[in-house]
Structure formats: structure tokens, C-alpha cells
Amino acid sequence: ARTQSCTRGGGGGGYSGGGGYGGGKQGVTIKMRGLPFRASENEIAEWFSSVADPIDIQIRYNHEGRPSGDAFVTFASEGDAKRAMQKDRASMQHRYIELFLEG
């Protein structure tokens, strides 16, 4: 499966994750399952915004290039990731979203 990465830093537009996190390789990652197929990186960031700001979002795609309904979302710290886990089993666009803290 392919991924489309959307690393957030300062400037530009959209939302800012603060910057200084080196391409999203650092931090703590949460797997999302059950995403609406039309969900964008910005919609995922907005969904988490009440609890924590992601620094990297990677939506997974199947072998046909269509969204699989899964994404990996990285947060700057374990504390941010634990706060983000409060959104486990919450809804996005009438879809039930499951969250899994990775590694």
C-alpha cells in the first residue's frame, strides 16, 4: 500500500504543527482505522485539533490508488498522542473511527 505524506511545519497555509520536527520521523504515531474515503489531511488535523496538533499525517492507499480508510498520524510527544487517543471511537462524517497507539 502507498502512503501520501503531509508533513506540517510553519508557514504556507493549512494548519501549523509548530515546526522543528524533522520530516515527521520523530514523535509518537497513532493508526486511524475507519476513515471516510474522502477524508483529507486537513480534515484529520481539524478532527484532532480539540485535543492535540499532529505534526505528520499519512493517508494509506490501496493497490488501486484509492484511500484504504487507514492513516498514520504523528504527534510531537507521548503526551500529545495520549490526548489524541481521547478521540478513539469518535465519529468523522458519520464514520466510527478507531485509534491505535503505535509501538
Side-chain angles (χ1 to χ4, degrees):
R2 295 185 307 124
T3 60
Q4 178 178 339
S5 180
C6 187
T7 302
R8 304 297 184 179
Y15 70 95
S16 174
Y21 297 112
K25 297 302 178 194
Q26 300 170 342
V28 181
T29 300
I30 289 176
K31 179 182 179 181
M32 300 181 77
R33 184 167 69 191
L35 284 168
F37 295 122
R38 293 179 176 213
S40 69
E41 287 90 352
N42 278 337
E43 288 170 315
I44 292 169
E46 288 173 20
W47 190 75
F48 279 114
S49 68
S50 65
V51 291
D53 292 322
I55 59 169
D56 187 61
I57 298 170
Q58 295 183 9
I59 295 175
R60 303 285 294 175
Y61 292 86
N62 66 20
H63 65 281
E64 295 171 351
R66 295 188 180 131
S68 67
D70 293 348
F72 291 96
V73 183
T74 304
F75 295 88
S77 69
E78 189 173 342
D80 282 354
K82 286 182 177 178
R83 282 191 298 281
M85 287 298 296
Q86 295 172 23
K87 302 285 282 187
D88 187 28
R89 296 186 167 87
S91 293
M92 178 190 293
Q93 300 174 14
H94 309 291
R95 294 289 307 258
Y96 164 92
I97 309 297
E98 292 180 285
L99 302 179
F100 304 91
L101 195 56
E102 296 284 296

